[in-house]
């Protein structure tokens, strides 16, 4: 187990290094942040001073080595725009994105698993066919269009839910959280629904496929032959085995939801890390962009590790790599 963890840690460090190298080269190729950060009315002396202060007068390889040296000491650089530590700026915005992503994933599980289970148990019913047709629609509709339609329907036409912002928040463990207030939940509902539509469709289809695959297996037939109740057969034998591939997908989807919530946060003016990274890309704020991607990569690695451990819990036959 220790050897497996050490290998995963080495892989994670290598992935982070490669990602930062690609980002540094890519940002250097697409533009110079000096042209955005410094106005045209600044004289050449002041312009040179600001460039030197930001470290942009150094060759790219020296800038990258300076970044690595700072990262080893827990410093990923200061934001060019906000002039505060970039990692601090990310962690200030990350709770808003986290609660939105978790809310979307909870909606996907609470709606997708029961609907997929029903569609798998009764595949020929009209309701099951309607569920599967609806899942195709959920896959097909673009996120930005769905978000605009939700705003037009529930905010503009009906006036039931707010169209933007985060609402009231409560500070817990040094971070602001909106899901702990009624007003915050109202603000969260529309962006969470918009972010969860694709996930709901994915969970429905995965659950249905898993149920259809598990139902004909011998251990399910044996459980029924023993006289177990249908609820126990479905809940213990069918659903538990169906959840094994679902856990993998949900773990990766949580990471991708956090990483790619940019569109939803922009449409609903949700003040999360996704909107921050979009603004930082527009301003070519390199420290914030790199810090955000480092956090996202570390998050993906952590979620993958948790998924592997959950595999072991759900199915003892699964052995972690190198454990045998």
């Amino acid at each position: 187990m220790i050897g497996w963890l050490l290998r995963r840690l080495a892989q994670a460090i290598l992935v982070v290094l490669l990602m930062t190298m690609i980002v540094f080269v890519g940002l250097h190729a697409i533009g110079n942040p000096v042209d955005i950060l410094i106005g045209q009315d600044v004289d050449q002396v002041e312009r040179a001073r600001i460039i030197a202060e930001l470290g942009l007068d150094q060759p790219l390889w020296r800038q990258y080595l300076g970044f690595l040296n700072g990262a080893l000491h827990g410093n990923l650089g200061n934001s060019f725009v906000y002039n505060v530590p970039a990692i601090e700026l990310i962690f200030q915005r990350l709770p808003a994105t986290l609660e939105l992503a978790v809310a979307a994933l909870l909606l996907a599980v609470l709606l997708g698993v029961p609907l997929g289970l029903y569609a798998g148990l009764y595949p020929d019913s009209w309701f099951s066919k309607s569920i599967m047709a609806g899942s195709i629609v959920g896959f097909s509709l673009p996120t930005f269009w769905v978000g605009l339609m939700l705003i037009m329907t529930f905010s503009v036409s009906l006036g039931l839910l707010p169209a933007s912002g985060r609402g009231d928040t409560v500070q817990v463990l040094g971070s602001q959280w909106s899901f702990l207030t009624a007003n915050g939940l109202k603000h969260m509902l529309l962006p969470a629904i918009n972010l969860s539509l694709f996930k709901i469709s994915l969970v429905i289809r995965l659950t249905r496929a898993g149920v259809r695959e598990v139902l004909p297996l011998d251990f399910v037939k044996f459980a029924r032959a023993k006289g177990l109740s249908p609820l126990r057969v479905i809940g213990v034998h069918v659903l538990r085995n169906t959840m094994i591939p679902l856990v993998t997908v949900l773990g990766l989807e949580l990471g991708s939801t956090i990483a790619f919530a940019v569109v939803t946060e922009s449409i609903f003016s949700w003040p999360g890390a996704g909107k921050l990274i979009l603004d930082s890309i527009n301003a070519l704020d390199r420290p914030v962009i790199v810090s955000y991607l480092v956090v996202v990569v570390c998050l993906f690695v952590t979620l993958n590790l948790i998924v592997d451990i959950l595999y072991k819990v759900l199915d003892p036959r699964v052995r972690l790599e190198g454990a045998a």
Side-chain angles (χ1 to χ4, degrees), residues 206-220:
L206 285 174
T207 304
R208 180 191 182 278
V211 170
R212 299 305 301 163
E213 182 180 353
V214 171
L215 276 178
L217 297 181
D218 290 340
F219 69 87
V220 176

Side-chain angles (χ1 to χ4, degrees), residues 95-243:
T97 300
L98 281 174
E99 63 180 359
L100 186 61
V102 170
L105 207 65
L106 283 176
L107 284 175
V109 172
L110 294 176
L111 294 177
V113 171
L115 291 175
L117 181 61
Y118 183 89
L121 293 173
Y122 310 102
D124 296 326
S125 69
W126 67 268
F127 187 55
S128 296
K129 294 178 180 178
S130 301
I131 291 172
M132 300 311 295
S135 69
I136 296 175
V137 174
F139 276 126
S140 305
L141 295 178
T143 302
F144 71 90
W145 183 85
V146 174
L148 293 175
M149 291 302 101
L150 289 174
I151 291 174
M152 291 295 295
T153 303
F154 294 100
S155 299
V156 178
S157 300
L158 300 178
L160 297 177
L161 295 170
S164 62
R166 198 179 173 194
D168 299 333
T169 60
V170 174
Q171 184 171 355
V172 178
L173 300 176
S175 300
Q176 298 292 332
W177 304 93
S178 58
F179 73 94
L180 297 173
T181 66
N183 183 261
L185 286 173
K186 287 180 64 177
H187 281 78
M188 188 191 300
L189 190 56
L190 285 184
I193 291 173
N194 184 50
L195 198 58
S196 68
L197 284 181
F198 179 87
K199 317 299 180 190
I200 292 173
S201 301
L202 181 63
V203 171
I204 286 174
R205 301 189 77 86
L206 285 174
T207 304
R208 180 191 182 278
V211 170
R212 299 305 301 163
E213 182 180 353
V214 171
L215 276 178
L217 297 181
D218 290 340
F219 69 87
V220 176
K221 296 178 181 178
F222 182 69
R224 287 172 173 168
K226 285 191 343 183
L228 297 180
S229 65
L231 186 61
R232 181 173 177 80
V233 172
I234 294 171
V236 176
H237 297 281
V238 176
L239 194 57
R240 182 174 179 177
N241 286 276
T242 302
M243 290 299 293

